[in-house]
Amino acid sequence: NAGVTQTPKFQVLKTGQSMTLQCAQDMNHNSMYWYRQDPGMGLRLIYYSASEGTTDKGEVPNGYNVSRLNKREFSLRLESAAPSQTSVYFCASSVRNMNTEAFFGQGTRLTVV
Amino acid sequence: GQQLNQSPQSMFIQEGEDVSMNCTSSSIFNTWLWYKQDPGEGPVLLIALYKAGELTSNGRLTAQFGITRKDSFLNISASIPSDVGIYFCAGQLFKAAGNKLTFGGGTRVLVKP
């Protein structure tokens, strides 16, 4: 009963380092999303993938890239991490694009020093 | 972009109390959603509202979609310790905004010592 699985759960990076956050869902959902959560600001959409093979920018895409590797997996890449990217990152999936019944992963807490 | 103002930012509850929180927007939404986030977990959908004026319950939770489509409230009746967490409202505007969800900053519910 995994649902949406994110790895890693915690990560510390130095400024300028790169890394990829992994996300996989086992619910056969078409759409997947990456959000970041900052104190007092709710969740902000970084990128989304309405279906396999497509990706689109969300509200705060700068400094990130994504890959929809297949229907199950949607990764988020930070090419050159900055302290402003310190945040908690959530992956989510839904049956169709922006369907309100989105299921979230447990989050990745990223600190950039 | 659109902003959702959620209040209060935090509140203390005593077991058995009724509590209320609300969300207001400068713009209208087609859908209002309420999520709860437990520590170390991703948000979980509690209630979805699809029509202006709609009042919907889910156990001890009741939420309403404001008539103006610019606000919503969530009530928790007879609160219990497991109600602690962060509650987020989110609004969705179809098509014009790509069906994107806009989240409020959250209401942190804590137990009175």
Side-chain angles (χ1 to χ4, degrees):
Chain A
N1 223 31
V4 179
T5 303
Q6 288 182 236
T7 55
K9 287 191 165 46
F10 301 94
Q11 183 71 49
V12 178
L13 289 179
K14 292 183 179 175
T15 298
Q17 283 186 317
S18 62
M19 80 160 293
T20 299
L21 280 63
Q22 308 285 353
C23 175
Q25 52 89 10
D26 61 2
M27 296 173 282
N28 202 35
H29 284 170
N30 295 317
S31 303
M32 299 184 74
Y33 319 90
W34 277 104
Y35 290 87
R36 61 177 287 173
Q37 183 178 33
D38 301 295
M41 297 190 73
L43 289 97
R44 293 181 292 168
L45 184 64
I46 304 171
Y47 269 94
Y48 65 100
S49 170
S51 60
E52 188 180 354
T54 70
T55 61
D56 285 285
K57 293 178 181 179
E59 188 184 347
V60 287
N62 292 345
Y64 305 96
N65 284 301
V66 290
S67 296
R68 183 73 182 267
L69 304 166
N70 48 56
K71 192 170 186 182
R72 289 188 65 246
E73 298 171 288
F74 188 39
S75 62
L76 178 72
R77 183 158 178 84
L78 287 72
E79 288 292 350
S80 178
S84 61
Q85 293 178 305
T86 294
S87 188
V88 181
Y89 292 84
F90 286 99
C91 177
S93 71
S94 68
V95 173
R96 57 181 183 274
N97 189 27
M98 299 300 173
N99 181 288
T100 55
E101 302 285 346
F103 294 84
F104 286 81
Q106 290 189 308
T108 296
R109 185 173 293 275
L110 175 68
T111 303
V112 183
V113 297
Chain B
Q2 290 169 316
Q3 294 288 325
L4 288 189
N5 296 310
Q6 192 170 344
S7 65
Q9 287 188 337
S10 62
M11 61 166 55
F12 287 91
I13 61 171
Q14 195 149 42
E15 192 166 352
E17 275 182 344
D18 295 348
V19 299
S20 183
M21 60 195 78
N22 66 71
C23 216
T24 59
S25 169
S26 56
S27 307
I28 62 171
F29 287 108
N30 297 121
T31 301
W32 280 95
L33 309 162
W34 286 92
Y35 286 85
K36 184 189 179 212
Q37 184 178 21
D38 291 323
E41 303 288 332
V44 173
L45 182 66
L46 298 173
I47 294 180
L49 302 156
Y50 300 106
K51 273 193 211 175
E54 180 181 353
L55 187 73
T56 297
S57 292
N58 178 5
R60 293 176 298 104
L61 306 175
T62 302
Q64 184 157 32
F65 191 143
I67 289 290
T68 64
R69 294 166 66 193
K70 292 184 180 181
D71 61 340
S72 177
F73 72 75
L74 175 71
N75 284 344
I76 307 172
S77 62
S79 55
I80 60 178
S82 61
D83 289 333
V84 301
I86 305 177
Y87 292 78
F88 290 100
C89 62
Q92 185 175 43
L93 185 64
F94 298 150
K95 294 183 180 169
N99 291 4
K100 294 179 181 58
L101 289 176
T102 301
F103 283 84
T107 294
R108 187 179 293 271
V109 174
L110 305 154
V111 174
K112 270 185 195 166

